[in-house]
């Protein structure tokens, strides 16, 4: 949805082309899949780098949840800037 809105507002020529050729849905599905995979990869990398483990989850669940929420938000922000809004 974000990619569609971005194309419509900021890349109207490309949006119209994709729409008229029937490739818009395929493009949006591909971008969605890429974005989800990239978020998953980034989260795994960040979790490993920051040392967020299952042991931490058992010891201090609130800290673990906070760290995971922060990591996920950071990963999503990176993906928005690198994949969605391009």
């Amino acid at each position: 949805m974000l990619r569609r809105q971005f194309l419509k507002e900021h890349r109207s020529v490309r949006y119209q082309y994709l729409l008229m050729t029937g490739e818009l849905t395929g493009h949006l599905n591909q971008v969605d899949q890429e974005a989800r995979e990239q978020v998953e990869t980034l989260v795994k990398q960040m979790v490993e780098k920051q040392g967020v483990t299952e042991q931490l989850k058992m010891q201090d669940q609130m800290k673990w949840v906070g760290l995971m929420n922060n990591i996920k938000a950071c990963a999503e922000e990176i993906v928005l800037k690198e994949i969605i809004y391009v």
Side-chain angles (χ1 to χ4, degrees):
M1 299 287 279
L2 293 173
R3 177 66 175 174
R4 181 176 178 262
Q5 192 65 30
F6 173 77
L7 287 173
K8 195 172 189 177
E9 291 178 10
H10 301 284
R11 305 284 190 269
S12 60
V13 173
R14 184 163 187 207
Y15 175 79
Q16 289 296 323
Y17 173 79
L18 290 169
L19 187 64
M20 292 175 69
T21 59
E23 297 175 10
L24 181 61
T25 302
H27 171 76
L28 295 175
N29 288 336
Q30 180 183 0
V31 169
D32 181 59
Q33 183 178 355
E34 281 181 41
R36 289 175 192 273
E37 289 172 359
Q38 187 67 24
V39 166
E40 186 178 321
T41 301
L42 287 170
V43 166
K44 285 179 183 176
Q45 290 173 351
M46 290 176 178
V47 162
E48 187 176 309
K49 186 172 184 176
Q50 294 183 23
V52 180
T53 62
E54 287 297 315
Q55 183 179 359
L56 175 62
K57 183 178 179 180
M58 290 200 271
Q59 291 174 347
D60 189 350
Q61 193 172 23
M62 292 304 291
K63 182 177 181 179
W64 182 86
V65 169
L67 289 170
M68 289 302 292
N69 285 341
N70 187 38
I71 288 170
K72 188 168 186 209
C74 289
E76 289 173 347
E77 187 67 29
I78 290 168
V79 168
L80 284 174
K81 289 180 181 179
E82 292 183 358
I83 296 177
I84 306 298
Y85 299 132
V86 177

